[in-house]
Amino acid sequence: MIPGAEGVTLGELLKKKAEQGVRVLVLIWEDRTAVEFLRNQGLMKTHCDETFEYFKGTNVYCFQCPRLAAHSLSPVQSVEIAVEFTHHQKTVSLDASIQGSENRQVVSFVGGIDLSDGRYDNEIHPLFRTLNTVYRDDFHQNNYKDTDLEHGGPREPWHDAHSKIQGPAAYDVVTNFIQRWTKQADSSLLLKLEDLLDVQPPDAHFESPESWNVQIFRSIEDASVVGFPANPSDAPELGLVTVKDQVIDKSIQCAYIEAIRRARDFIYIENQYFFGSCASWDRDQDCGCLHLIPIEIALKVVSKIKARERFSVYVLNPMWPEGIPEGDTVQAILHWFRNTARMMYKMIGEALREEGLDHEFRPTDYLNFFCVGNREVKLPGDYVPPERPQEGTDHYWNAQKHRRTMIYVHAKLMIVDDEYIIIGSANLNQRSMDGARDSEIAQGCYQPYYINQRGRRARGEIFGYRMSLWYEHFAYKNGGLRREYLHPESIECVRLIRRICQRIWDSFVEEETVEDLPGHLMLFPMRVLNDGSLDEEEDIVYHDTKASVKGRKIDVLPPILTT
């Protein structure tokens, strides 16, 4: 904790800095489904009206930014976009000191963390033990009905990832904010960076063994930013695309595809959602979830099998999307995810058979899906709530009885070969990858000194970050960082992690809570057969709920909402 910061909220800090003369501009997405006079918080419960009112009359300039549609779209399409899609970017940019200099620099932050309640957590992901201390004023649990601190835990643990950027790319993040603010807010409130004499422009040619190459990517279209060409025919020169006279930046999807195609040994993904490439599914091919990332990953694995080379893919998702697990939205998203996994495993299984390797390897030797959870044994001094959920009535009571719940994965990152990482706000679904749906921002980066070379593996900060994530998720209670983890593509590493994750899962689903969970990472509850097909006869339900792991197609929800 920063000295003097205990009990100080982010809003109070922003007000204080604004009173000191700092220009503070806050751009928040306006959820058009939130109706203040009806006391309706909106579908996303973003507190947008509450936040606007909080800063009203202060020196903080807060603007509610609706998701607008391009002029070329019909009135019906415009309403759909305004109601169904969001501004999903999560950035902060500010000036900061430069060590050993009186000048200052621009620093930006990009990633998945929302500046809202329920997001603070640490690598332990406590459920019950700190409810009367750390989480006394920040109890958050959206996966069971009627939860609150008075009725006790488990709270909803949160796993997320964000990044700090210095140098020229930090200015690119500021430029994105300026373009968006200019499009929809009062541009006269913006400060010109070139007029701030003590803010030094970055040196684009700074080189050291620890330096980085960084590029900013976006999913956004011309209704949300200035600076795009007025003539759609000029878009390709700027790396943009056009759809029905809309000019669209979909560089995040392009960055993912490029990184996947360049991958040599392994891919490690953490994301809130993972589904797409519906044109290659065996059903629901007209759902519109067309982005190419899952099929690109499957094709990469297939190409490695045909070349008789090792390659491994690790994908970490939440156990289920945030919400009541039996709910229509959650079940629809699980259905799309299963369609995607079925397609990918089928392609891998077919490649193994064609190469005559199906007796030696299984599809799960190449591709695995994981989730994370926690379970705590009750200790003396644990928080005792004044009330309890009604016994035997719902999932909340069951989760409290068994002292377990999932850890919600909200991170959006991909690590390739320990030498390249993409991290940002974009989920691996159509909403984030489309470019004309949710607005997103991400950064891709690598350290030129730490790339894989003949006889030398990449061992820079990206490698260290992956190892720290693996230590947090499972290694710290399972023998520490073993030599197998140095080569994630190896069959030894894949099978070792699967064994560890199965043990953690077995402990998670036991009826009695006899110990704290020995790690967090677990295999996603989906049985993959040796031929690459999914076991469709098995209908697993999530423990403490009645919700199917398979999900189900929800005809009353248009796919555009859930993909």
Side-chain angles (χ1 to χ4, degrees), residues 93-149:
S93 295
L94 44 80
D95 65 287
S97 61
I98 300 174
Q99 187 174 4
S101 172
E102 295 182 358
N103 292 316
R104 301 181 71 78
Q105 63 179 329
V106 171
V107 174
S108 293
F109 298 84
V110 169
I113 300 178
D114 303 305
L115 299 180
S116 63
D117 54 341
R119 298 318 193 247
Y120 175 78
D121 211 339
N122 61 28
E123 70 277 8
I124 304 301
H125 301 293
L127 305 182
F128 298 93
R129 291 177 186 158
T130 53
L131 292 182
N132 59 340
T133 54
V134 176
Y135 297 101
R136 181 181 57 207
D137 299 315
D138 191 26
F139 181 87
H140 181 83
Q141 177 54 269
N142 278 344
N143 299 299
Y144 313 117
K145 293 180 180 178
D146 303 320
T147 60
D148 55 37
L149 185 62

Side-chain angles (χ1 to χ4, degrees), residues 345-481:
Y345 278 123
K346 179 182 178 183
M347 292 176 61
I348 295 170
E350 289 175 349
L352 288 172
R353 284 194 302 277
E354 290 172 2
E355 295 301 315
L357 298 173
D358 52 324
H359 296 294
E360 183 179 357
F361 299 107
R362 300 182 292 272
T364 52
D365 289 332
Y366 295 87
L367 170 65
N368 283 282
F369 294 96
F370 301 90
C371 56
V372 279
N374 201 10
R375 190 171 193 177
E376 289 180 350
V377 69
K378 191 171 184 177
L379 297 178
D382 277 4
Y383 171 70
V384 178
E387 300 181 51
R388 297 287 299 275
Q390 188 174 347
E391 184 172 346
T393 56
D394 61 10
H395 313 332
Y396 188 17
W397 182 85
N398 288 329
Q400 196 169 102
K401 173 189 173 184
H402 295 118
R403 299 183 65 82
R404 66 189 173 199
T405 194
M406 72 163 172
I407 297 169
Y408 196 65
V409 177
H410 196 257
K412 299 98 168 51
L413 66 89
M414 181 175 75
I415 293 173
V416 176
D417 295 340
D418 282 336
E419 68 179 15
Y420 185 78
I421 184 171
I422 297 176
I423 183 169
S425 67
N427 293 311
L428 296 182
N429 59 4
Q430 191 64 26
R431 295 180 68 110
S432 291
M433 293 295 144
D434 188 88
R437 295 190 181 184
D438 292 352
S439 62
E440 308 284 3
I441 191 167
Q443 62 116 329
C445 60
Y446 67 97
Q447 293 178 283
Y449 189 79
Y450 295 102
I451 59 176
N452 290 297
Q453 300 177 21
R454 187 180 298 275
R456 191 184 82 172
R457 297 287 293 253
R459 292 293 183 257
E461 291 187 35
I462 296 173
F463 162 75
Y465 182 49
R466 176 185 61 84
M467 293 292 272
S468 71
L469 289 170
W470 283 20
Y471 187 82
E472 171 189 341
H473 292 331
F474 64 90
Y476 74 106
K477 288 188 177 181
N478 292 278
L481 295 175

Side-chain angles (χ1 to χ4, degrees), residues 30 94 237 278 287 377 391 459 494 508 513 524 538 558:
E30 181 182 17
L94 44 80
E237 294 184 11
C278 67
C287 74
V377 69
E391 184 172 346
R459 292 293 183 257
V494 173
F508 182 79
T513 307
F524 189 86
E538 188 179 41

